[in-house]
Amino acid sequence: MSSKDSIVALSSGRLPAGIAVIRISGPKTRFVVETIAGSVKDRFTTLQRLRAADGSIIDRGLVLFFPGPGSFTGEDVAEFQVHGSRAVAAKMLETITQFEGVRHAEPGEFTRRAFLNGKLDLVETEALADLVNAETEAQRRFALRNAEGAQSELYSDWRRRLIHARAMIEAEIDFAEEEDVPGSVSEAVWSDVSVMIGEIDRHIGGFKAAEIIRDGFEVVILGAPNAGKSSLFNALARREAAIVTDEPGTTRDLIEVVMDLNGLKVRLVDTAGLREAAGKVESIGIERARAKADVADLVLLLEDMADPAPVGDIPGGAPVLRIGTKSDIANAGGGDYDLVISSKDGGGLDRLLNEIGARAAAAVGEVGDVLPSRLRHVELLKEAVDFLRAALSGQRQELRAEELRLAAERLGRIVGAVDVEDLLDVIFSQFCIGK
């Protein structure tokens, strides 16, 4: 795809900074570079004086020019690396956008052009967004693997196998009397389809692990009022994130912090104390606490060993670690606990963090595994499996071949090999301006 206009944006971080990177892409790129910086050598970094329209020097900076199609967007692309002051960046952008046919880029427009020019498929595009937003080592590794094409290769391979299977079935239908067509190919085709259903089902089963990598392993702290929930929350967060008092019912809403444990994102949630005699507002907090615990990845059920109190039924949707608190003033002789801690002197907290980290790692499995990274992938994969099952159980070969076509079409929509125009605005809105 050839764009009529060129786009420019600040592609580096918030200013002021040591360096500001300004990126331009499109048909006017070379003209802009040669006008502002003079002649530059393709794919070489050169130090140049950068001039405004009136000939005055804006700054001295590095200039790189990448001719299309061998660039990120597939078009002519250039980068100006200048001193990272707001004034310099603003003057550079003002100067560049004064050229006819050059405008400011919209969010994600550079990556969108890369997709439209065949430099990336949709899955690689989404992975690139994940890589830009990665906060932990696990997120970085997961996003990088997908950005390099591992996920796309898997989906494209399934799609190729389905296209081949459909071709064989239709050949058998149309040319059954011809000598060049093998005798019955159905058995081999349907055997491979059956194997593929199992492969896709197992892949879909990995979505929970992908969600944990991207969104975090959720740990919910439950317990009676004054069981030490907020004290533990603050101790693990290493700051006063929650109010701690001796008054029951102080915490009335969900409070969350994010931690990095051994490269994995962990979301820790403090909740209202569980008790029967509670006011209207506190009761709402208790209901939210129970609902949150029901969908958590792990529940820490705290009990004050010096003054145990009933908490009623515990939601059964997540594994539970029973934890005795305030070990600095009590002993664990009267309770059945998985761990004993003291938020005051730090006793047992390292063991607790190690246990949370181990459970998070077990939930994720091998970060190098190819996993579905978006809910839209899972939905399309499930539709593809439904069509494949219909094809396996069908009677008429013509209809079974059509089910194979529909399954392949769903896989094509994941990577963008078939019409996905309705998805583009949603996907590229994830990107910052300049990417």
Side-chain angles (χ1 to χ4, degrees):
M1 184 201 79
S2 177
S3 302
K4 294 181 179 179
D5 52 0
S6 298
I7 54 175
V8 63
L10 175 68
S11 295
S12 51
R14 182 179 299 177
L15 302 177
I19 296 291
V21 178
I22 294 169
R23 176 185 289 175
I24 179 172
S25 176
K28 288 292 184 72
T29 299
R30 186 183 288 275
F31 178 71
V32 170
V33 169
E34 291 180 347
T35 302
I36 292 177
S39 178
V40 295
K41 190 175 181 181
D42 294 358
R43 301 185 180 281
F44 276 80
T45 304
T46 55
L47 179 64
Q48 304 282 100
R49 285 186 174 87
L50 309 176
R51 298 182 181 274
D54 61 4
S56 63
I57 296 175
I58 303 171
D59 194 9
R60 293 185 68 202
L62 299 177
V63 183
L64 299 89
F65 179 79
F66 305 91
S71 68
F72 172 68
T73 64
E75 305 172 329
D76 286 352
V77 173
E79 288 187 357
F80 298 97
Q81 298 181 12
V82 296
H83 292 96
S85 74
R86 292 187 178 91
V88 170
K91 186 63 177 178
M92 283 293 297
L93 290 171
E94 176 190 336
T95 300
I96 293 171
T97 53
Q98 285 177 348
F99 287 86
E100 184 179 355
V102 182
R103 60 174 174 81
H104 290 285
E106 298 176 359
E109 193 168 3
F110 286 91
T111 308
R112 185 168 186 152
R113 290 190 177 197
F115 166 72
L116 294 175
N117 288 323
K119 309 299 286 188
L120 300 168
D121 64 31
L122 279 188
V123 173
E124 291 167 337
T125 296
E126 290 166 327
L128 186 58
D130 286 342
L131 188 59
V132 170
N133 295 316
E135 299 173 313
T136 67
E137 175 63 11
Q139 290 174 340
R140 182 195 68 79
R141 289 166 56 197
F142 180 60
L144 183 61
R145 181 167 169 78
N146 289 336
E148 290 181 337
Q151 197 176 354
S152 297
E153 184 178 344
L154 178 64
Y155 298 153
S156 296
D157 180 63
W158 282 334
R159 184 166 178 260
R160 283 192 295 269
R161 285 162 64 183
L162 287 181
I163 291 172
H164 175 75
R166 179 186 168 207
M168 292 298 97
I169 294 299
E170 291 185 349
E172 187 177 74
I173 294 170
D174 295 337
F175 306 106
E177 304 302 322
E178 299 291 333
E179 294 182 359
D180 291 341
V181 177
S184 175
V185 297
S186 295
E187 184 176 345
V189 166
W190 300 122
S191 175
D192 187 50
V193 168
S194 181
V195 169
M196 200 180 310
I197 289 173
E199 292 174 356
I200 297 175
D201 277 338
R202 286 189 293 275
H203 180 69
I204 291 172
F207 182 57
K208 177 61 178 176
E211 279 189 308
I212 291 173
I213 293 172
R214 295 182 70 244
D215 302 329
F217 184 79
E218 189 169 71
V219 180
V220 173
I221 304 174
L222 287 185
N226 291 333
K229 300 183 302 300
S230 294
S231 295
L232 173 62
F233 183 77
N234 288 339
L236 296 181
R238 292 185 170 86
R239 62 185 174 89
E240 295 297 316
I243 299 172
V244 179
T245 73
D246 293 332
E247 180 183 343
T250 302
T251 302
R252 297 190 175 189
D253 208 346
L254 305 176
I255 305 174
E256 181 177 309
V257 295
V258 174
M259 303 186 299
D260 184 335
L261 286 185
N262 302 323
L264 290 173
K265 182 177 180 179
V266 174
R267 300 199 327 270
L268 188 67
V269 184
D270 189 18
T271 64
L274 306 182
R275 60 172 176 165
E276 295 300 328
K280 184 176 180 180
V281 175
E282 189 180 346
S283 295
I284 295 173
I286 291 172
E287 287 305 311
R288 289 181 178 177
R290 291 186 181 277
K292 192 69 168 175
D294 200 38
V295 296
D297 298 304
L298 177 64
V299 170
L300 306 182
L301 181 58
L302 273 56
E303 185 173 270
D304 181 351
M305 294 189 295
D307 185 20
V311 294
D313 294 334
I314 301 302
V320 176
L321 269 181
R322 288 179 51 83
I323 298 175
T325 64
K326 306 182 183 178
S327 63
D328 53 305
I329 59 173
N331 60 68
D336 181 17
Y337 304 113
D338 297 306
L339 290 170
V340 172
I341 65 168
S342 168
S343 300
K344 185 174 182 180
D345 64 19
L349 293 187
D350 286 343
R351 287 186 60 197
L352 175 58
L353 284 172
N354 288 338
E355 181 66 23
I356 294 172
R359 290 182 180 239
V364 167
E366 292 294 330
V367 178
D369 292 343
V370 179
L371 307 172
S373 57
R374 289 289 193 285
L375 181 59
R376 79 170 188 92
H377 303 168
V378 172
E379 291 171 344
L380 289 168
L381 288 167
K382 287 180 177 178
E383 290 180 21
V385 168
D386 288 342
F387 286 125
L388 293 181
R389 289 200 170 99
L392 275 183
S393 61
Q395 299 299 318
R396 294 182 56 187
Q397 294 288 65
E398 295 88 346
L399 296 180
R400 300 174 84 185
E402 175 63 10
E403 300 287 1
L404 294 179
R405 184 191 71 79
L406 292 171
E409 188 268 345
R410 294 309 187 271
L411 293 173
R413 284 182 66 83
I414 298 177
V415 298
V418 296
D419 182 35
V420 288
E421 186 65 32
D422 55 327
L423 286 173
L424 298 187
D425 288 340
V426 174
I427 290 173
F428 290 105
S429 67
Q430 303 172 74
F431 288 85
C432 58
I433 293 174
K435 189 58 181 173

